Amino acid sequence: MKKTSILMLLTLVSSTASADDLCPEFANMVSAISDNGASGEELGMEKAVAKQRKKGIYRGFDNSVRLEQPTASTSVNASQSFAFRPFSTQFHPNQQIKLYPFSTKKKYRELVVGGTTNWGGSKNRKSTDNSIPLKFKKIGDGCYKVTPGVTLPKGEYAFSLASVGMGSSADVKGTNAGFGSSVQGQTWFGFSIK
C-alpha cells in the first residue's frame, strides 16, 4: 500500500510539473513540445516587416510579411505539437493565433499577402486564407496544446499572434495586410521543419 501511495504521489507531481514545463512562462508566447512530451522550448520571437515588391512590368506590386534570416533558429519534427499561452482566456485561442507557411529567400522568409495592380486595383480579392488549420486542447490553466490540422512538410513556418483588445489580428490575408500593409500589433514566432 505504501509503494502504491508513493507511486500515485510521484505520478501526480510529475504530471503537474510537466504541464508547467510545457507551457510558456509569459502570455502571448509559443513553445515547441518535445517529442517525448516532457518539456517545452520557447520559440524565438521574430522581427517582422511589411514589404512591397514590384512583380514584372504589368503585374503590379506584391505585399508581403518578411521575417529576418532565411531559416528559423528552432527546428522541430513534423509530428511535434506546440504549447500556447493566450493573451486573453476570454477569447477562443483560434482568434489569437494562426500558423502560416513561409517561402525561403536568400536573406529572409516571406509570406505574400496581397498587393496592388499597376492601375491602382487590389490583388487582395485574389488572396486566400492560406493559414494552416489548428487544433486546440487545454493542458493547463490558461495554456493550450496546439497541433496543426495537417501534416506539415519540410519548410519554414511561423505563428502569428494577435494582441487581442489592442486592435490587431493574427490574420494576415487580404485587406488586413493589403494596401500599406503593416505588422503592427502582431507577434511572430518561427520554426523550421527539417
Side-chain angles (χ1 to χ4, degrees), residues 109-166:
R109 288 157 283 157
E110 182 176 55
L111 172 66
V112 176
V113 294
T116 58
T117 66
N118 276 344
W119 300 275
S122 171
K123 291 183 183 180
N124 294 330
R125 61 184 166 75
K126 295 180 182 175
S127 71
T128 58
D129 182 1
N130 67 340
S131 65
I132 297 163
L134 300 172
K135 298 176 186 174
F136 300 93
K137 179 182 178 186
K138 189 171 184 176
I139 57 174
D141 189 29
C143 185
Y144 295 86
K145 180 179 180 180
V146 180
T147 307
V150 296
T151 302
L152 300 178
K154 291 180 181 181
E156 297 294 323
Y157 300 88
F159 287 104
S160 169
L161 276 58
S163 298
V164 175
M166 305 286 190

Side-chain angles (χ1 to χ4, degrees), residues 45-58:
M45 195 179 307
E46 301 272 358
K47 181 177 180 187
V49 293
K51 288 288 186 179
Q52 190 174 59
R53 181 176 55 173
K54 179 80 171 154
K55 291 298 287 185
I57 297 172
Y58 300 108

Side-chain angles (χ1 to χ4, degrees), residues 8 13 20 24 37 58 60 63 76 84 87 99 109 114 129 134 149 153-154 158 162 164 166 172 177:
M8 287 175 40
V13 169
D20 290 340
Y58 300 108
N63 291 334
V76 301
F84 170 54
F87 189 72
L99 178 61
R109 288 157 283 157
D129 182 1
L134 300 172
K154 291 180 181 181
V164 175
M166 305 286 190
V172 294

